[in-house]
Amino acid sequence: MNLEALASCLSSSACAVTQISTALIIGMLLFMVASGLSLIFGVLGVINFAHGAFYMAGAYIAFFTYQATSSFFLAFLAGALGAGLIGIIFERFIISKVYGKDILMQLLVCYAIILIFDDLVKIIAGPEYKMMGMPDVFALPPLEFAGGFVPAYYVFMIVASLSIGAMLWLAIEKTRIGKIIRALAINPQMVGALGINTTLLYAAVFGVGSMLAGIAGSLAAPTRTLTPGMGLSILIESFIVTVIGGMGSIVGALIAALLIGFTRAFGAIGFPLFVDGIMFGMMAVVLIIKPSGLLGREIAR
Amino acid sequence: MLSVQNLDKRFGGVHATRNVSIDFPEGSLTAIIGPNGAGKTTFFNLISGAFRPNSGKVIFDGQDIVGKSSLEVVRLGMTRAFQVAEIFPSLTVTEAIMATVISHLRKSWTFLRRFPVAEAKSRTEEIIELLGLADKAGTLSRNLSHGDQKLLDIGLALAMEPKVLLLDEPTAGMGPDERWRMIGKVQHLWQVKKMTVLFIEHDMDIVFKIAQKIHVLKYGAVLAQGTADEIRRNQDVIDAYLGADHHLSAAVGEA
Amino acid sequence: MMKAGFLRDLLFAAVVLIVLIVVPFIFTKPSLRDFLIYVMAYGLLAMSLNLLVGLTGLVSFGHAAFFVSGAYMFGLLMQSGRVSIPVAIFVTVLGTAVLALVIGAICVRLKEIYFSFITLAFQMFIHSIILTWVSLTGGDQGLRGGIPRPPFFGIDLSSGVSLYIFSACVFVVCILIMRQVWQSPFGYTLRLIRDNPNRANYLGVDIVRMKLGVFILAGAMASVAGILLSLFVSGAYPEFGFWTTSGEAIFMIMLGGSQLFVGPIIGAILLRLLEHFVSIYTEYHGLVLGIVILAIVLGLRQGVADYVVEYLQRRKEAKVPAAKEAAFVKERVA
């Protein structure tokens, strides 16, 4: 425990700004991943324990695309769409076989996928750490905020994530297809009876969910080292976020993701060894007081 | 045995049960009828402790049980069977009933003996015999026919030696012949065990044939109560529920 | 009622114990003994978890909390030098039971997926405490200095062989205890809760109390598994309490089958065998394991042992009508 370090950081605006921006980007990445998880759970009723694998896929695909094309935006697009595509394949051939089954079967299937993906990545990309490095497009001097410095790329990450999150929210709440998807979550048989191809919808929703994870991976690639195990750590945190924010709620995911982001960023200074403990402690408290999460709906299944 | 006084329940804006007062004498066989949405199952839920009423009393065997948990109410001697048979899929008929008898004997926390247990054996066999399921005693509950599952559900409730038994649509989902067989069994069980039985039913022929007393619910309130003849003639009931049925009017005319 | 079933299980346990003890003397590679001890420790963990998952329908994601607390409590007690092994075992099991009581009292009130998540939360919270409280636990290095094994009742555990025999005995005794629980009225009442908790409530079963009871029992058994492992590796490590350990236990149950009593042990053996043999041929044992799991889940739709049992049952039921028909025909013809 190093609370003096924490206090001194908070009083120094340079340190505070750095930590706050770190907190925000951790939060944004988690927000993207958790929204995907929440969407998949809300509509398909599946707890996608393999979600971290799509994050990893997005990161690696972005990395290789950047190596090949030197264009960050192509890399970003490739990572996002690639993860989405893999997600659709995964849904069609594997996950759909365990719809409605025992959660342990779903868990087992997802675990198998994680094992396979991690080794596939090792085979294709090699087990060593990889670094994408900051793309030239973002090789700008850091921006100054309130006495501290924020890397330009961080600003991009935050803006991009919030925009995508807003688009997602708008799509679900305000468009016709969003309404159909919300109906699908509540009464799939009825939606099917109305002549809508639910199979296609399920695949599409899963694809969007995994694409969100892929987006997070692509965004993270310039700032993180890529390793075959990177999916696992983000998985556990995204579950904490989803539980705290509430399954099925995008806004909840944002709030919870920011909460976790700040805990991580400031925790790294004040209580580095116990950050996990605090996060899981918060998760436990939410589960005890309001199991469906801050903004979640009761799971009526 | 069971006296419901001024029972009232709202769910948000829905006034599900309105000031219902009914007495159920010991050993009686009473039917609760009424159109869908009249609050019959809600009534069962209220008196069995599943929901707490907003006001009113439920006097069971001398004490007011409002506020008691459903578990406490069961242990006081009121059990129920459900509209959709609630059974234990992976257990055989014998296993399910014996485990329930053991629960009744309050010996569920026994670690040092092996299941099946000697002192529960005769009671288990007696109930299975009474239900007429003896030849299916070793069958897995999930493999039973629908009718047998409903029977098992009643048997489970019976294994607790209840003073009051609530049956929610015991003949639901059955064809005409099977219905009469089922209700015949219910009547037989009632006579043998001398319990107080309340049942919800939609088949009017059955209700008029076997119920000693009938209570009609509509929109959560008691519309009418009486014997089969009284209810048949009751204009309110005919308007609300039975309908201007030629068959029925003719029967009334004849009587 | 008790005698016949119990005696049969006792006999079976005795045979298993004898086999377990004799086998390493026949196939003398020390790695076989190591393999078997790992299977016993993790198998015991999986069996204890199955009291929750297979018997009661409680899917705990955080069961390794009791595994790791067993390992650390025992390790710390022995390192204090003030207690003998049997006393340390007794205090550890009791202490873990109390821990399970506290955690369980909060968790069992929650339903289904929420129960799963909160058990995970508690486990990772404990894991964090172990990592942070470096002065007590050694932090991420684990308990250092090894675990002393002073002799007790004339038994000396300092040799690999005697430790192995001791572990085998403890293992078999624990399995027998769990077997008794499975076959007891308590065990059958838990099955009621597993199949239809709402109905069980309406049949006079105090669900919360019973769930708490089996939760404590399962936690106590898991702590024994932790003790066995800590004795074997002569230490205790935070990894014992990481969520992946709970995950492994669940996979053993799913692989072997949750409905058959010995399913989890079969799963433990399968998992270890797979890891062992695959790592000989390729370093990509994750890939192979993943494919095998997919084949089992998508192909069999249930654990291996459960599948075999169901297959045998279907064959038996198919034979009966055939036999009846044969008898019918015989009567008519004769």
Side-chain angles (χ1 to χ4, degrees), chain C:
Chain C
M1 274 288 146
M2 148 119 144
K3 290 298 169 68
F6 181 67
L7 285 176
R8 193 185 52 209
D9 289 337
L10 193 60
L11 191 63
F12 196 72
V15 168
V16 168
L17 183 59
I18 293 173
V19 167
L20 271 177
I21 293 181
V22 161
V23 156
F25 286 106
I26 302 180
F27 306 94
T28 49
K29 268 177 85 176
S31 55
L32 176 62
R33 243 183 17 228
D34 296 351
F35 174 82
L36 286 173
I37 291 198
Y38 266 114
V39 165
M40 288 194 283
Y42 281 97
L44 190 55
L45 174 63
M47 293 289 286
S48 71
L49 178 56
N50 205 30
L51 284 171
L52 298 177
V53 174
L55 189 58
T56 317
L58 285 171
V59 179
S60 166
F61 285 167
H63 201 55
F66 309 113
F67 184 64
V68 74
S69 78
Y72 273 90
M73 274 192 215
F74 181 74
L76 287 168
L77 280 168
M78 291 314 296
Q79 282 183 343
S80 75
R82 290 192 222 149
V83 290
S84 64
I85 289 186
V87 171
I89 292 180
F90 178 74
V91 172
T92 301
V93 173
L94 199 62
T96 308
V98 170
L99 182 66
L101 172 65
V102 171
I103 293 181
I106 301 174
C107 295
V108 297
R109 284 165 211 283
L110 291 164
K111 295 218 187 110
E112 295 169 16
I113 188 66
Y114 302 126
F115 171 78
S116 306
F117 280 136
I118 198 171
T119 51
L120 177 67
F122 272 110
Q123 179 192 325
M124 291 305 291
F125 188 77
I126 290 176
H127 177 259
S128 251
I129 293 180
I130 292 176
L131 280 180
T132 316
W133 201 345
V134 184
S135 56
L136 181 69
T137 64
D140 64 340
Q141 299 296 313
L143 276 184
R144 267 169 302 179
I147 296 186
R149 304 179 206 165
F152 59 97
F153 302 147
I155 304 175
D156 185 359
L157 293 184
S158 45
S159 76
V161 173
S162 55
L163 180 61
Y164 172 79
I165 295 179
F166 176 71
S167 302
C169 292
V170 169
F171 173 72
V172 168
V173 166
C174 286
I175 301 294
L176 257 182
I177 294 175
M178 288 196 274
R179 176 67 177 167
Q180 178 55 37
V181 172
W182 267 67
Q183 298 302 98
S184 67
F186 182 71
Y188 272 83
T189 313
L190 291 176
R191 286 174 180 77
L192 291 183
I193 296 178
R194 173 192 67 199
D195 278 11
N196 196 336
N198 187 48
R199 190 71 179 104
N201 174 61
Y202 281 99
L203 294 175
V205 175
D206 191 336
I207 301 188
V208 172
R209 273 228 190 124
M210 289 230 134
K211 282 182 180 176
L212 183 57
V214 71
F215 193 83
I216 295 173
L217 188 62
M221 282 288 147
S223 74
V224 177
I227 292 173
L228 286 183
L229 192 62
S230 72
L231 268 173
F232 177 58
V233 304
S234 203
Y237 301 94
E239 289 75 32
F240 293 176
F242 200 54
W243 61 271
T244 47
T245 305
S246 289
E248 262 198 57
I250 294 202
F251 301 131
M252 291 176 188
I253 293 176
M254 296 310 289
L255 273 181
S258 64
Q259 298 306 300
L260 186 66
F261 176 69
V262 292
I265 302 227
I266 294 177
I269 296 174
L270 277 177
L271 197 61
R272 290 279 154 211
L273 275 178
L274 232 100
E275 284 171 1
H276 178 78
F277 282 111
V278 169
S279 52
I280 294 180
Y281 294 108
T282 163
E283 58 184 295
Y284 300 119
H285 56 89
L287 189 62
V288 176
L289 186 59
I291 294 177
V292 168
I293 293 178
L294 276 184
I296 291 180
V297 173
L298 299 178
L300 298 181
R301 309 276 171 136
Q302 56 197 309
V304 171
D306 284 350
Y307 178 77
V308 171
V309 165
E310 218 180 86
Y311 174 74
L312 292 174
Q313 198 140 20
R314 265 182 286 137
R315 284 194 56 187
K316 194 168 76 172
E317 277 169 22
K319 279 198 188 136
V320 170
K324 272 195 183 152
E325 210 177 298
F328 180 78
V329 171
K330 212 164 159 197
E331 243 172 62
R332 295 286 167 283
V333 170

Side-chain angles (χ1 to χ4, degrees), chain B:
Chain B
M1 171 58 63
L2 184 64
S3 173
V4 175
Q5 299 169 2
N6 307 106
L7 205 61
D8 208 90
K9 178 70 180 171
R10 284 173 197 274
F11 292 104
V14 178
H15 200 171
T17 305
R18 298 168 199 258
N19 202 12
V20 170
S21 299
I22 306 178
D23 281 324
F24 301 95
E26 183 167 348
S28 58
L29 177 60
T30 312
I32 310 276
I33 67 174
N36 277 323
K40 307 187 292 292
T41 303
T42 307
F43 178 69
F44 269 16
N45 281 330
L46 287 170
I47 61 179
S48 65
F51 302 148
R52 201 194 161 123
N54 294 116
S55 61
K57 291 192 192 164
V58 178
I59 315 284
F60 175 38
D61 208 11
Q63 57 170 315
D64 185 8
I65 58 171
V66 166
K68 287 199 190 296
S69 68
S70 47
L71 180 65
E72 288 170 306
V73 173
V74 166
R75 287 189 176 167
L76 283 173
M78 186 194 301
T79 62
R80 56 190 293 193
F82 296 82
Q83 199 171 332
V84 177
E86 294 279 346
I87 52 167
F88 304 103
S90 73
L91 296 181
T92 64
V93 172
T94 309
E95 286 168 349
I97 300 219
M98 180 166 295
T100 309
V101 170
I102 290 174
S103 167
H104 173 64
L105 294 173
R106 305 295 285 267
K107 291 205 172 196
S108 298
W109 284 84
T110 309
F111 289 91
L112 294 179
R113 317 222 1 236
R114 291 268 166 136
F115 185 96
V117 162
E119 58 255 42
K121 202 151 175 256
S122 60
R123 174 120 183 87
T124 305
E125 281 166 4
E126 184 199 325
I127 294 179
I128 295 180
E129 203 56 60
L130 216 51
L131 295 171
L133 288 175
D135 57 339
K136 298 181 187 124
T139 316
L140 287 177
S141 303
R142 62 168 164 253
N143 292 338
L144 290 173
S145 68
H146 169 72
D148 285 339
Q149 285 186 352
K150 293 278 288 181
L151 215 47
L152 177 58
D153 194 11
I154 296 178
L156 290 170
L158 226 58
M160 296 298 289
E161 307 250 9
K163 296 175 188 150
V164 172
L165 180 62
L166 309 177
L167 302 177
D168 197 341
E169 298 197 42
T171 67
M174 296 181 189
D177 289 336
E178 208 183 352
R179 253 193 212 160
W180 284 103
R181 276 202 303 272
M182 171 61 105
I183 211 67
K185 284 208 175 114
V186 168
Q187 198 174 20
H188 175 61
L189 288 168
W190 165 69
Q191 281 162 348
V192 166
K193 290 286 163 192
K194 308 207 193 314
M195 313 168 276
T196 310
V197 176
L198 282 65
F199 68 104
I200 294 176
E201 187 46 72
H202 275 300
D203 185 330
M204 285 303 113
D205 294 330
I206 286 179
V207 170
F208 289 144
K209 189 88 201 287
I210 74 160
Q212 290 179 331
K213 198 112 180 273
I214 301 172
H215 300 271
V216 187
L217 292 183
K218 183 185 168 193
Y219 296 139
V222 176
L223 183 62
Q225 33 199 14
T227 62
D229 278 341
E230 291 165 6
I231 294 296
R232 248 200 284 250
R233 286 177 233 266
N234 186 310
Q235 193 56 45
D236 290 330
V237 177
I238 293 175
D239 288 341
Y241 189 38
L242 299 176
D245 189 285
H246 288 295
H247 164 80
L248 223 47
S249 322
V252 167
E254 270 175 50

